[in-house]
């Protein structure tokens, strides 16, 4: 096997995917059968500079180079050979945000990430203008907020892009963006597979009195769906990626994508009537729609798959952080007793015990709001556990309510899709830390969404694998649709292990969420009173 993989690497048949997450940059090398054969990573962290969350350009490039060097070292260690040629490369990163560049390719203001929430005035105004929900984190919100703030750099903008688009541009010279990532810059017309002409025209009219030397399409990247060539690695790009100088130029790159798009690919959820849920520090669901929603909803973002199908996205700022903190208390208790701690065992015991609790958590309610939660209208959060004197307060119900809380906000958003919009879904796939304890988070999410939930072993490979698969689709798609390529070449009938909820579990979660919504004023009071 190692000999075959060495031959694959040396003959340039391997494909590289790199994804910039919020805390880790990860590289995955895959073989022609789409299996990971080597990987590298780099840990990094955002910085709060002048009130804005950012990563410096130096951190971006040193992180990318260190991640690639780690991958190169893994290849050398496993196979005793050097990475010189590849069949394709794909770049992915956190979606949205704001990277504005001048004519000399200089960045005009520090990179403003998706995490910044200073764009409320702009997002509200654009949502009204477009009659379309425009989230705080979208690039167009950041641009218009800079205009409203009278920032001098706006008139100097020559190119506006996302993190993935920036790195791709520097590696290839091409100012392009995958359609999924582009849909987090400005709304996409799915029929045209391009920015909405109507919204472009509205924006240009809105800012015309400012007299800027550009119009919106002058500064945005060109939109490309999956499978379309997006340029090749230049000699300068190769030198920036691989400082050792071994990697050769001329390698084709697929369109750069956002992390939501690569998550859909990694879970085989790009076909209409499929969806996926990512549940870790934060959570989001992506449901691929058969048609447009009947009206805008503030808690539902509309983006696209990497091949341009319309997606309803419910994005929640909080998921497992508060749950993990409570589990940490039990770890401390064990340590206090002098008992050896195995965190996998602690999680497993507590999670499985939670399934023995009451389906409605016995009346207990938990808010996991480490930060604010836009879906429920909270600009700040305070973790909060609430019960009455007559509730059934025991360990199983206590743990169950924290598991429910981790997907409670997700349920509120998706209830709109399923109950009000009557959206139909054939399969939802879960991935992320919540599903690490087998069968528990999966069963809780199934009850929350009143839908069977599948979990695949491969979903843990993450977005770097997803963008590598889009690289494979570029060179091996052969005119097929992206869903067909994933079904036949990658997943080959593997739909994962599925768990369907019982009627009792669904009824129990519905009762819990009514208590939860009724107690939201208590959470707001906690925010108001606990500074």
């Amino acid at each position: 096997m190692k000999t075959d993989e060495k031959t694959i690497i040396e003959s340039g048949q391997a494909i590289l995917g790199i994804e910039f997450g919020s805390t880790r940059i990860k590289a995955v090398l895959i073989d022609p059968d789409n299996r990971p054969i080597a990987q590298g990573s780099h840990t990094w962290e955002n910085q709060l500079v002048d009130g804005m969350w950012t990563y410096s350009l130096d951190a971006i490039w040193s992180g990318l180079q260190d991640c690639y060097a780690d991958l190169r070292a893994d290849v050398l260690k496993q196979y005793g050979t050097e990475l010189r040629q590849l069949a394709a490369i794909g770049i992915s990163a956190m979606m949205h945000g704001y990277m504005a560049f001048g004519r000399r390719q200089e960045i005009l203001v520090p990179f403003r990430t998706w995490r910044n929430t200073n764009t409320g005035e702009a997002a509200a105004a654009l949502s009204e203008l477009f009659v379309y929900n425009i989230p705080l984190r979208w690039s167009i919100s950041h641009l218009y907020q800079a205009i409203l703030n009278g920032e001098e750099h706006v008139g100097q903008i020559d190119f506006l892009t996302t993190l993935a688009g920036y790195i791709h541009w520097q590696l290839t010279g091409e100012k392009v963006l995958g359609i999924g990532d582009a849909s987090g810059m400005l709304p996409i017309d799915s029929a045209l597979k391009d920015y909405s002409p109507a919204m472009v025209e509205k924006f240009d009219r809105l800012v015309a009195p400012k007299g800027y030397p550009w119009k919106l399409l002058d500064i945005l990247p060109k939109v490309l769906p999956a499978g379309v060539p997006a340029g090749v690695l230049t000699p300068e790009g190769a030198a920036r990626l691989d400082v050792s100088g071994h990697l050769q130029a001329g390698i084709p790159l697929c369109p750069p994508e956002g992390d939501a798009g690569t998550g859909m690919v990694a879970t085989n959820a790009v076909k209409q009537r499929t969806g996926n849920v990512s549940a870790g520090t934060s959570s989001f669901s992506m449901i691929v729609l058969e048609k447009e929603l009947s009206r805008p909803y503030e808690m539902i973002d509309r983006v696209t798959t990497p091949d341009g199908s319309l997606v309803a996205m419910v994005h929640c700022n909080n998921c497992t952080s508060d749950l993990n903190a409570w589990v940490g208390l039990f770890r401390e208790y064990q340590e206090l007793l002098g008992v050896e701690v195995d965190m996998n065992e602690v999680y497993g015991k507590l999670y499985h015990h939670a399934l023995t609790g009451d389906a409605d958590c016995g009346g207990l309610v938990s808010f996991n709001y480490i930060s604010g939660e836009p879906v429920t209208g909270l600009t700040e959060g305070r973790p909060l556990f609430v019960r009455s004197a007559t509730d059934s307060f025991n360990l199983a119900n206590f743990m169950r309510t924290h598991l429910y809380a981790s997907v409670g906000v997700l349920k509120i958003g998706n209830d709109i899709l399923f109950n009000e919009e009557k959206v139909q879904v054939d399969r939802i796939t879960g991935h992320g830390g919540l599903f690490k304890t087998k069968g528990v988070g999966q069963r809780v999410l199934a009850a929350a969404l009143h839908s069977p939930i599948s979990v695949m072993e491969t979903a843990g490979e993450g977005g770097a694998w997803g963008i590598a698969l889009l690289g494979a689709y570029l060179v091996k798609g052969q005119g097929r649709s992206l869903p067909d390529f994933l079904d036949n070449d990658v997943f080959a009938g593997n739909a994962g292990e599925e768990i369907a909820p019982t009627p009792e579990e669904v009824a129990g979660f519905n009762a819990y969420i009514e208590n939860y919504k009724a107690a939201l004023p208590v959470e707001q009071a906690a925010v108001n009173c606990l500074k």
Side-chain angles (χ1 to χ4, degrees), residues 289 291-300 312 314 375 410-425 449-450 514 517:
L289 302 175
K291 61 180 182 179
E292 259 286 11
L293 301 180
S294 64
R295 65 180 181 86
Y297 296 92
E298 189 174 348
M299 59 187 67
I300 298 173
V314 177
V375 171
L410 202 65
K411 174 180 174 58
I412 291 171
N414 279 277
D415 277 352
I416 292 174
L417 294 176
F418 300 140
N419 299 339
E420 297 184 31
E421 291 288 333
K422 308 301 182 187
V423 169
Q424 299 294 311
V425 181
L449 300 188
H450 193 185
E514 291 308 312
K517 290 188 285 190

Side-chain angles (χ1 to χ4, degrees), residues 258-464:
D259 52 355
T262 58
M264 286 187 274
V265 171
T267 54
N268 194 20
V270 298
K271 190 184 298 183
Q272 291 180 352
R273 295 174 66 102
T274 66
N276 81 90
V277 170
S278 173
T281 304
S282 62
S283 69
F284 57 84
S285 63
M286 313 284 291
I287 307 297
V288 188
L289 302 175
E290 296 178 278
K291 61 180 182 179
E292 259 286 11
L293 301 180
S294 64
R295 65 180 181 86
Y297 296 92
E298 189 174 348
M299 59 187 67
I300 298 173
D301 307 343
R302 283 174 284 179
V303 292
T304 79
T305 63
D307 60 343
S309 291
L310 186 65
V311 175
M313 179 181 191
V314 177
H315 185 278
C316 310
N317 286 353
N318 303 280
C319 187
T320 60
S321 294
D322 189 45
L323 174 60
N324 292 339
W326 283 108
V327 174
L329 271 184
F330 290 102
R331 181 202 67 221
E332 285 188 46
Y333 177 66
Q334 278 195 252
E335 291 172 338
L336 194 63
L337 293 178
V339 178
E340 187 176 341
V341 176
D342 178 339
M343 287 307 292
N344 287 330
E345 184 180 16
V346 174
Y347 273 99
K349 293 282 189 185
L350 290 172
Y351 277 31
H352 283 289
H353 187 58
L355 295 183
T356 69
D358 297 322
D360 65 353
C361 301
L364 313 183
V365 175
S366 173
F367 292 96
N368 63 338
Y369 296 4
I370 300 288
S371 63
E373 196 54 80
V375 171
T376 49
L378 274 291
T379 55
E380 293 182 52
R382 302 290 183 271
L384 184 67
F385 170 68
V386 183
R387 70 183 180 99
S388 72
T390 56
D391 289 338
S392 180
F393 183 47
N394 55 47
L395 181 59
N397 283 341
F398 180 78
M399 288 307 303
R400 193 172 185 120
T401 191
H402 288 294
L403 283 164
Y404 276 24
S406 66
V407 294
V409 178
L410 202 65
K411 174 180 174 58
I412 291 171
N414 279 277
D415 277 352
I416 292 174
L417 294 176
F418 300 140
N419 299 339
E420 297 184 31
E421 291 288 333
K422 308 301 182 187
V423 169
Q424 299 294 311
V425 181
D426 297 326
R427 186 187 76 247
I428 299 176
T429 305
H431 60 117
L434 181 65
F435 307 106
K436 189 174 180 181
T437 300
K438 190 172 182 179
V440 179
Q442 190 176 357
R443 183 166 290 284
V444 167
L445 183 64
L449 300 188
H450 193 185
S451 172
I453 303 295
S454 298
V455 172
M456 299 182 186
E457 294 296 328
T458 51
E461 300 292 350

Side-chain angles (χ1 to χ4, degrees), residues 3 80 155 171 185 205 209 218 228 266 275 283-284 303 309 321 353 395 403 405 486 500 513 515 521:
T3 303
L171 295 180
M185 295 195 79
R205 281 206 311 265
D218 297 333
V228 174
S283 69
F284 57 84
V303 292
S309 291
S321 294
H353 187 58
L395 181 59
L403 283 164
L486 294 175
I513 210 68
N515 283 342

